[in-house]
């Protein structure tokens, strides 16, 4: 059986179908319901079923099916308008606009037919007495589509000049169209200004702010308002993700990714909607989508990823370059069909321009997972043929290359090693002297890392051959240091003693310089520090002492000589850093912090700020340990500033992450979010997305949540979850992320999803020794399940939470769970209109409220301090109040007068008790007491006791005015309250006045 037996059941079925996700299944059900409506032989039923069918077609990928039901509706209207009620009459005229837009979207419908339809719409609107505003808006759409810009401007002006009536599009949709036109005409700032009320939530509808958020992306990028563009992408994509009818808005988000260095995310978006490649019900949105696909694939091809597999139309495997060709061909073919219909080249010109767009931002971090696509075959920026790099000698000029390399290495510049590599490449086949070959080998060794020891030894031989014994000893020391780094610190320490003794002897004889001597002494100090680090457990005192002595020896050597020599200044700075590290190992955090600060300052003073980064970071950690948060923040900011472009991605991520946590600690959630965003970005760049990046996203989501940016936070947290693991991040991080995500989804009204997240978190917390989080999550999940219309599941979750609260001795949690279950019991058995409940449901609700009262009473008897007693008395008052409300709402409408009277009396008793309980707490519970008094007053009015009801109302007024005057809602002599308290006072007084007025009107009858 179909279940459709009468008009009411048909309407319920249509309402249920209207709440289903957009798509073919909903459309097919609408078609079935039309057949059922025809069987009822009720003209209005057919009218409503046709309207329902038309609506679901419009909000789907099958928009081309709208015309048949509308034509039938229009014929029915022309033949028997009396079959349409007021609502369906309005709806019929309303969807004229859908037909106009729908025809424009179908290139097989001649333009003459579109223009004819526009005239028909104007005629019928005039006959119905409607404003021409909607007609001029439709005319504007036609003119803008075909590229008749003069006509579009005239229609646009006429649209805005016409009066708004109930046929005009909603404010949100109108503002979208107006802003879109401003953006099309190059007036981005004005477009964003017009969209402001929609973006701020002042106006909304079924498809707004969805489309405004999508349309705003490129204008905001062009205006340089990158943070807003990022936020609108995260907010907007979340809204359109599940809406099949919004392919054009979805395309805007893919385009945004292609133009901001987020190509990987663009691919993820394409993979989520495979049907968008082929759905043909709305050719114009398919054209826009395929143009954007071509744009994204061209970006990937330019990055050297043309041969990479990408998501595409079903039936074959696609590479980026192949899909680029296919998408371009499809887009231009569709555009050609529109242009053939329109008699212009405007649509094709726009499609080509869209596919040719260039990135607006090299990389805009979004906070969600995603690593920039790279390939070994990707093109590398290089000088044009025959042209040297700016600021670099030509490769053929070996002398200039040598001079530049020596300048860079003498001043310890970060790219000195690469400069010597350029010398080596240019010297192929050229006979160099021993000194040149020594320096080349020396720097090759520096670039070789753990494999550099032999190259350093080779450099030592060449330095000796060149007549520089001191530098030869320094190179041998560097070779020993490499061995210390590769796990042999004791052998290295033994090996360095000979160069150390020899260089001191040479220096004493003026046979080598202070630079070479300092290099050997510094290398020895580094090696001895490696012995410190290699110790199992606390390092032996002799090992510590040797390292400290070596560092101080360097300082003694270079003291007073660092002003004009960068190398010597760096040796002194590094020696301070070694002493700082030794102080930290000894537990002297304050001395360590002072020495790290001295080392960092020395590097900066020497013009070597990139060397200060490590020590500023170490200083930040120590300052945090010492409770000096301001110094920790300063040091982290300095580290980022000093590192500039020289910081590796992972180091930059770590610094931003630490700074985010420090800034958040002083309540600056907005700036903390900026640093967490940067941390996530650089972690992804470093290949640390699943570890460091996931933690950064976890924090970023929390910071966004603190700012009330629910949709953005939800996107980021959902992106973090797959990478968070108990092994790497701890199960506490997973629970917190799920918890935060549940908070976001609750605020967004996605209660079923919020419940799922909170229950998943609760399942993890169930195994923790302390069960408070488990209980809280179960309780929150129950609230979501109730809001999602799942009363049985909500009751089970509340029961679970109540048991946990009871085990924890948390009476407040237990009482609130019982009260919530009572309301669920009442509502679960309520009638279709929500009024009344059957006896079984009312009895369950009554029993649960009684349990809540008993729990409060038992706890009050055991309360042993005043603060706990006040909280419990407050809970008791709220329970009496809710019990009274519940009883009053439990009345079944067809119950006898005597039965209703008895329940109302019982409810009044509970409300009166609430007034007494709240009254015992004094002024602190004034608002709660007056609310209970008003509820009791209304019940007394229903029970025919006007004098008692009036007394309640006057008591409320007196509570807010010591002399009986209400004034601004505060008692005379009372201190100013918060705005919220003042508003509550005004609301209570207004309701009391309303009750008195009702009583007067009843008395006058």
């Amino acid at each position: 059986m179909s279940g459709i037996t009468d008009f009411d059941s048909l309407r319920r079925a249509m309402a249920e179908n209207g709440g289903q996700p957009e798509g073919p299944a909903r459309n097919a059900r609408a078609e079935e319901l039309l057949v059922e409506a025809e069987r009822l032989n009720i003209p209005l039923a057919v009218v409503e079923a046709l309207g329902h069918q038309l609506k679901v077609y419009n909000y789907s990928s099958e928009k081309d099916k709208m015309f048949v039901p509308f034509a039938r509706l229009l014929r029915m209207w022309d033949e028997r308008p009396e079959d349409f009620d007021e609502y369906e009459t309005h709806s019929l005229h309303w969807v004229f606009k859908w037909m106009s837009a729908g025809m424009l979207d179908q290139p097989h419908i001649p333009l003459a037919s579109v223009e004819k339809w526009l005239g028909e719409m104007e005629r019928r609107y005039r006959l119905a007495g409607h404003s021409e505003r909607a007609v001029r808006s439709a005319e504007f759409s036609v003119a803008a589509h075909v590229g008749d810009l003069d006509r579009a401007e005239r229609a646009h002006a006429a649209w805005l000049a016409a009066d708004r009536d109930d046929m005009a599009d909603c404010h949100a949709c109108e503002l979208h169209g107006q802003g879109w036109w401003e953006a099309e005409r190059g007036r981005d700032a004005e477009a964003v200004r017009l969209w402001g009320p929609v973006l701020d939530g002042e106006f909304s509808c079924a498809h707004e702010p969805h489309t405004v958020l999508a349309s705003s992306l490129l204008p905001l990028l062009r205006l340089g308002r990158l943070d807003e563009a990022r936020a609108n992408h995260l907010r907007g994509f979340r809204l359109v993700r599940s809406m099949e009818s919004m392919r054009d808005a979805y395309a805007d988000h893919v385009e945004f990714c292609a133009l901001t260095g987020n190509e990987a995310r663009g691919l993820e978006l394409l993979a989520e909607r495979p049907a968008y490649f082929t759905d043909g019900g709305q050719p114009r949105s398919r054209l826009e989508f395929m143009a954007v696909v071509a744009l994204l694939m061209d970006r990937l091809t330019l990055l050297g990823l043309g041969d990479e597999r990408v998501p595409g139309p079903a039936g074959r495997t696609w590479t980026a370059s192949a899909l680029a060709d296919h998408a371009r061909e499809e887009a231009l073919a569709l555009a050609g069909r529109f242009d053939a219909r329109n008699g212009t080249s405007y649509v094709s010109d726009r499609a080509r321009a869209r596919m040719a767009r260039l990135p607006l931002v090299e990389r805009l971090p979004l906070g969600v997972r995603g690593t920039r696509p790279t390939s070994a075959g990707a093109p590398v920026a290089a000088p044009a043929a025959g042209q040297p790099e700016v600021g670099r000698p030509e490769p053929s000029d070996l002398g200039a290359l040598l001079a530049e390399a020596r300048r860079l290495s003498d001043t310890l510049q970060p790219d000195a090693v690469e400069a010597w590599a350029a010398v080596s490449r240019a010297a192929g086949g050229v006979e160099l002297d021993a000194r040149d070959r020594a320096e080349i080998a020396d720097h090759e060794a520096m670039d070789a890392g753990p494999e550099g020891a032999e190259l350093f030894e080779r450099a030592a031989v060449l330095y000796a051959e060149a007549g520089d014994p001191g530098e030869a000893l320094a190179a041998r020391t560097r070779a020993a240091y490499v061995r210390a780094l590769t796990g042999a610190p004791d052998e290295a320490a033994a090996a360095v003693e000979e160069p150390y003794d020899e260089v001191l002897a040479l220096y004493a004889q003026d046979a080598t310089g202070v630079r070479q001597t300092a290099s050997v002494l510094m290398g020895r100090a580094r090696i001895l520090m490696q012995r410190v680090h290699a110790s199992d457990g606390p390092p032996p005192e002799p090992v510590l002492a040797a390292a400290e002595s070596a560092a101080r020896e360097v300082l003694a050597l270079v003291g007073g000589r660092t002003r004009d020599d960068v190398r010597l200044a760096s040796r002194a700075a590094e020696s301070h850093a070694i002493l700082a590290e030794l102080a930290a190992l000894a537990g002297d955090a304050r001395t360590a912090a002072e020495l790290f600060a001295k080392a960092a300052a020395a590097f900066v003073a020497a013009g070597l700020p990139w060397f200060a980064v490590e020590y500023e970071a170490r200083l930040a950690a120590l300052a945090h340990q010492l409770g000096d948060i301001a110094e920790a923040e300063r040091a982290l900011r300095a580290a980022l500033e000093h590192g500039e472009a020289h910081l590796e991605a992972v180091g930059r991520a770590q610094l931003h992450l630490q700074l985010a946590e420090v800034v958040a600690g002083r309540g600056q959630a907005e700036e903390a979010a900026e640093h967490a965003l940067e941390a996530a970005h650089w972690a992804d760049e470093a290949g640390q997305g699943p570890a460091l990046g996931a933690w950064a996203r976890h924090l970023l989501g929390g910071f966004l949540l603190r700012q009330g940016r629910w949709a953005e936070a939800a996107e980021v947290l959902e992106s973090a979850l797959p990478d968070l693991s108990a092994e790497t991040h701890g199960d506490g991080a997973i629970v917190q992320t799920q918890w935060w995500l549940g908070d976001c989804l609750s605020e967004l009204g996605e209660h079923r999803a919020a419940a799922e997240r909170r229950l998943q978190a609760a399942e993890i917390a169930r195994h923790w020794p302390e069960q408070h989080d488990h209980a809280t999550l179960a309780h929150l999940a129950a609230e979501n399940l109730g809001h999602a219309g799942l009363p049985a599941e909500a009751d089970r979750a509340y029961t679970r939470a109540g048991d946990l609260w009871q085990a924890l001795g948390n009476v407040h949690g237990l009482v609130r769970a019982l009260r919530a279950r009572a309301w669920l019991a009442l509502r679960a058995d309520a009638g279709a209109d929500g009024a009344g409940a059957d006896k079984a449901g009312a009895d369950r609700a009554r029993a649960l409220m009684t349990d809540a009262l008993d729990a409060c009473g038992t706890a009050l008897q055991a309360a042993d301090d005043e603060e706990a007693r006040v909280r419990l008395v407050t809970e008791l008052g709220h329970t009496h109040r809710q019990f009274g409300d519940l009883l009053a709402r439990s009345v079944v409408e067809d119950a006898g007068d005597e039965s209703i009277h008895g329940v109302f009396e019982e409810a009044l008793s509970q409300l009166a008790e609430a007034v007494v309980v709240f009254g015992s707490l004094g002024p602190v519970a004034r608002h709660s007491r007056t609310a209970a008094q008003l509820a009791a007053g209304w019940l007394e009015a229903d029970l025919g006791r006007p004098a008692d009801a009036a007394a309640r109302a006057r008591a409320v007024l007196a509570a807010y005015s010591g002399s009986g005057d209400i004034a601004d809602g505060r008692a005379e002599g009372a201190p100013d309250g918060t705005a919220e308290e003042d508003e509550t006072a005004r609301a209570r007084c207004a309701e009391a006045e309303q009750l008195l007025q009702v009583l007067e009107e009843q008395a006058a009858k």
Side-chain angles (χ1 to χ4, degrees):
M1 294 180 63
S2 67
I4 307 299
T5 57
D6 54 28
F7 203 171
D8 286 341
S9 60
L10 174 69
R11 284 173 164 166
R12 285 195 297 271
M14 289 190 296
E16 180 182 353
N17 191 47
Q20 298 302 307
E22 296 176 352
R26 187 170 74 157
N27 295 353
R29 178 58 176 158
E31 293 162 6
E32 293 172 359
L33 291 173
L34 175 59
V35 174
E36 297 288 351
E38 290 168 338
R39 290 175 181 159
L40 295 176
N41 198 27
I42 302 173
L44 183 58
V46 176
V47 169
E48 291 190 11
L50 284 167
H52 174 65
Q53 189 181 86
L54 200 157
K55 182 176 182 180
V56 298
Y57 284 156
N58 184 60
Y59 293 113
S60 78
S61 63
E62 298 180 309
K63 291 177 183 286
D64 54 337
K65 291 185 176 182
M66 289 192 302
F67 305 110
V68 172
F70 182 74
R72 184 176 173 186
L73 273 172
L74 196 59
R75 185 173 65 253
M76 291 175 69
W77 168 261
D78 288 339
E79 293 173 355
R80 291 180 56 86
E82 65 271 16
D83 288 343
F84 289 69
D85 63 12
E86 182 179 355
Y87 178 82
E88 292 303 327
T89 299
H90 177 274
S91 296
L92 175 69
H93 287 81
W94 180 269
V95 296
F96 264 89
K97 299 180 293 183
W98 294 359
M99 293 304 105
S100 176
M103 288 180 175
L104 209 57
D105 289 345
Q106 305 294 330
H108 69 277
I109 298 178
L111 189 61
S113 297
V114 177
E115 294 284 5
K116 180 180 178 181
W117 181 257
L118 191 61
E120 179 70 8
M121 177 182 174
E122 183 172 9
R123 182 183 73 82
R124 289 182 180 261
Y125 270 42
R126 188 183 306 114
L127 288 173
H130 298 306
S131 164
E132 68 170 10
R133 189 178 182 93
V135 178
R136 298 285 78 83
S137 174
E139 181 189 3
F140 161 76
S141 297
V142 173
H145 169 66
V146 302
D148 187 344
L149 303 185
D150 290 339
R151 182 188 179 192
E153 289 284 13
R154 291 194 302 275
H156 184 264
W159 166 24
L160 299 186
D163 293 335
R164 277 190 59 83
D165 65 354
D166 60 0
M167 280 297 118
D169 283 341
C170 74
H171 282 290
C173 288
E174 284 208 329
L175 288 173
H176 173 248
Q178 293 161 22
W180 173 85
W181 182 241
E182 296 297 331
E184 283 290 304
R185 305 300 287 152
R187 300 185 284 264
D188 289 333
E190 178 62 13
V192 174
R193 186 193 69 78
L194 284 167
W195 289 327
V198 184
L199 294 173
D200 294 341
E202 183 179 346
F203 301 122
S204 63
C205 68
H207 277 190
E208 295 298 351
H210 313 46
T211 56
V212 163
L213 286 164
S215 296
S216 72
L217 297 174
L218 262 61
L220 286 170
L221 289 174
R222 290 192 291 257
L223 291 168
R225 294 161 65 170
L226 305 186
D227 289 342
E228 294 172 71
R230 176 195 301 112
N232 287 3
H233 169 63
L234 295 177
R235 286 176 59 201
F237 180 68
R238 187 171 194 84
L239 292 173
V240 304
R241 172 183 272 146
S242 62
M243 299 183 71
E244 186 196 50
S245 63
M246 303 203 70
R247 178 165 52 185
D248 47 359
Y250 201 99
D252 290 341
H253 287 280
V254 176
E255 179 180 43
F256 169 83
C257 293
L259 300 181
T260 57
N262 288 287
E263 295 87 357
R265 180 166 171 84
L267 291 177
E268 292 174 3
L269 268 57
L270 294 185
E272 286 193 32
R273 277 290 183 180
Y276 276 173
F277 289 100
T278 53
D279 283 344
Q282 192 189 28
R284 188 152 61 152
S285 75
R286 184 163 181 261
L287 159 60
E288 300 296 343
F289 183 76
M290 296 307 284
V292 164
V293 171
L295 171 67
L296 176 60
M297 295 306 122
D298 283 344
R299 287 290 308 144
L300 292 169
T301 302
L302 189 63
L303 289 170
L305 297 163
D307 294 331
E308 294 296 309
R309 288 185 58 177
V310 294
R316 61 169 283 188
T317 299
W318 294 93
T319 63
S321 59
L323 184 56
D325 294 340
H326 170 77
R328 184 175 295 103
E329 181 180 344
E330 289 285 310
L332 291 176
L334 284 164
R337 289 174 60 197
F338 280 106
D339 284 340
R341 188 268 302 273
N342 300 339
T344 69
S345 64
Y346 188 68
V347 176
S348 294
D349 292 343
R350 291 183 77 254
R352 288 191 179 92
R354 189 170 200 180
M355 290 186 286
R357 280 175 178 158
L358 297 175
L360 294 168
V361 184
E362 181 180 354
R363 181 68 190 273
L364 178 63
L366 301 178
V368 293
R369 286 196 304 165
T371 302
R372 189 167 197 170
T374 56
S375 169
V380 177
Q387 296 295 319
E389 294 182 58
V390 177
R392 294 284 194 199
E394 291 190 29
S396 58
D397 189 348
L398 182 57
L401 287 172
L402 273 167
E404 175 66 4
R406 287 199 174 101
R407 182 188 70 80
L408 293 173
S409 58
D410 283 346
T411 55
L412 299 178
Q413 298 300 305
D415 47 358
V417 170
E418 174 53 37
W420 280 104
V423 170
S424 180
R425 290 191 295 272
V430 177
E431 185 66 31
L432 296 175
D433 62 28
R435 178 73 189 197
D436 295 338
R437 286 181 286 131
E439 290 182 271
I440 291 172
D442 207 359
H443 287 84
E444 283 180 3
M446 295 176 192
D447 197 34
E451 286 75 41
E454 292 185 6
L455 283 168
F456 278 129
E457 295 286 4
R458 178 183 166 199
V461 172
L462 290 169
Y463 279 126
E465 184 181 330
D468 192 341
E471 202 59 59
L473 293 171
R476 286 175 58 193
T477 302
R478 289 190 280 275
Y481 182 51
V482 170
R483 294 189 176 93
L485 291 174
T486 53
D490 291 337
E491 293 85 340
V496 79
E497 289 305 317
E498 183 178 342
Y500 168 70
D501 290 339
E502 290 183 19
V503 81
L504 288 178
L506 288 172
Y507 183 66
Q509 300 165 13
D510 290 332
T512 193
V514 67
R515 267 194 180 190
Q516 292 83 352
T517 307
S519 181
V520 174
L521 267 58
M522 190 75 253
R524 178 171 176 268
R526 292 172 180 167
I527 290 169
L528 293 174
M529 278 303 295
Q530 283 302 307
R531 291 183 69 200
V532 170
H533 293 313
S535 300
D536 293 328
E541 185 58 37
V543 173
L544 291 169
E548 181 179 354
S549 174
R552 294 195 182 282
E553 189 174 10
V554 175
L555 285 172
L557 174 68
V558 303
R561 297 172 170 161
T562 60
R563 178 170 298 178
D564 300 321
D565 193 316
V566 171
R567 284 182 176 269
L568 295 182
S570 75
R571 303 303 185 204
E574 188 175 353
S575 297
H576 287 303
I578 289 175
L579 293 173
E581 193 167 354
L582 290 169
L585 287 170
D588 188 352
R590 194 165 300 281
T591 298
E594 292 171 358
L595 287 167
F596 276 131
K598 194 170 185 178
F603 276 122
V604 173
L608 305 170
W610 48 89
F611 284 120
V613 172
E614 177 185 352
Y615 306 119
E616 293 282 19
R618 296 288 298 276
L619 171 58
L622 286 168
H624 202 281
Q625 176 185 331
L626 292 166
D628 190 348
I629 305 303
E631 175 63 7
E633 183 178 339
R634 183 214 61 78
L636 289 168
R637 292 187 189 280
L640 282 168
E641 179 185 350
H642 297 330
E644 294 182 337
H646 306 300
L647 265 175
E648 291 186 357
V650 67
R652 193 179 296 273
Q654 290 168 336
L655 288 171
H656 276 296
L657 197 55
Q658 293 174 56
L659 190 52
E661 292 175 321
V662 169
V663 170
R666 57 180 177 82
Q668 299 299 312
E670 187 171 347
E671 186 184 351
E674 293 172 4
H675 288 294
L677 177 68
E678 288 294 320
H681 164 65
W682 290 110
D684 288 341
E685 291 290 304
Q688 292 288 315
L692 192 62
W695 181 252
R697 277 182 270 279
H698 160 80
L699 292 181
L700 173 59
F703 297 145
L704 292 171
L705 181 145
R706 287 193 204 178
Q707 299 172 61
R709 295 159 67 176
W710 316 113
E712 297 168 67
E715 281 291 303
V716 171
L717 293 168
E718 286 174 345
S719 178
L721 270 173
D723 289 329
L724 289 171
S725 68
E727 295 76 18
T728 303
H729 307 95
D731 56 9
I734 300 173
V735 168
Q736 184 64 80
T737 302
Q738 297 274 29
W739 195 325
W740 282 338
L741 183 52
D743 291 346
C744 293
L745 296 173
S746 292
E747 293 290 342
L748 294 169
E750 300 175 34
H751 292 291
R752 184 189 289 263
E756 291 174 0
R757 294 300 186 181
R758 286 168 164 170
L759 288 172
Q760 289 167 3
E763 185 59 25
I764 298 173
R766 182 170 68 87
H767 303 285
W768 292 355
E770 210 290 316
Q771 288 289 285
H772 186 273
D773 286 343
H774 182 197
T776 304
L777 286 162
H779 200 119
L780 292 171
E783 290 179 3
N784 288 128
L785 291 166
H787 287 306
L790 300 168
E793 293 84 347
D795 185 71
R796 285 196 293 271
Y798 275 125
T799 301
R800 174 184 178 184
D803 291 344
L804 290 165
W805 291 129
Q806 189 166 28
L808 289 166
N810 188 319
V811 179
H812 301 279
L814 171 61
V815 168
R816 290 168 191 177
L818 288 167
R819 292 198 308 241
R821 290 181 62 202
W823 283 109
L824 282 171
L826 188 70
R827 290 166 184 156
D829 291 296
D833 60 358
D838 68 13
K839 186 174 186 305
D843 287 347
R844 281 200 304 275
R846 185 190 299 265
L848 287 163
M849 278 293 185
T850 301
D851 289 344
L853 285 175
D854 291 343
C856 284
T858 302
L860 265 171
Q861 292 176 2
D864 55 3
D865 68 81
E866 183 61 19
E867 182 179 353
R869 191 194 71 80
V870 168
R871 290 185 63 216
L872 286 167
V873 169
T874 303
E875 203 72 73
L876 179 63
H878 286 303
T879 305
H880 279 299
R881 163 69 199 276
Q882 289 197 33
F883 202 168
D885 288 344
L886 180 140
L887 289 168
R889 297 183 193 186
S890 69
V891 173
V892 179
E893 287 187 356
D894 58 359
D897 288 345
E898 185 176 340
S899 174
I900 293 175
H901 187 279
V903 175
F904 277 8
E905 288 285 6
E906 190 178 358
L908 181 58
S909 174
Q910 292 291 340
L911 291 169
E913 189 62 32
V915 172
V916 172
V917 171
F918 286 131
S920 71
L921 295 173
V924 71
R926 179 173 55 170
H927 293 327
S928 297
R929 184 180 76 253
T930 54
Q933 284 175 317
L934 286 168
W938 288 109
L939 261 182
E940 284 169 330
D942 289 339
L943 287 167
R945 300 170 188 166
D948 293 339
R952 297 279 189 194
R954 293 191 186 97
V956 170
L957 294 174
Y960 293 107
S961 179
S963 64
D965 297 324
I966 297 173
D968 64 354
R970 287 190 293 272
E972 284 189 356
D976 289 349
T978 65
E980 184 178 354
E981 289 171 341
D982 292 348
E983 182 60 33
T984 300
R986 283 189 287 270
R988 294 282 190 274
C989 292
E991 187 178 352
E993 295 283 9
Q994 182 187 9
L995 176 55
L996 289 171
Q997 182 178 352
V998 169
L999 292 170
E1000 289 175 5
E1001 292 172 355
Q1002 288 177 348
K1005 291 181 180 179

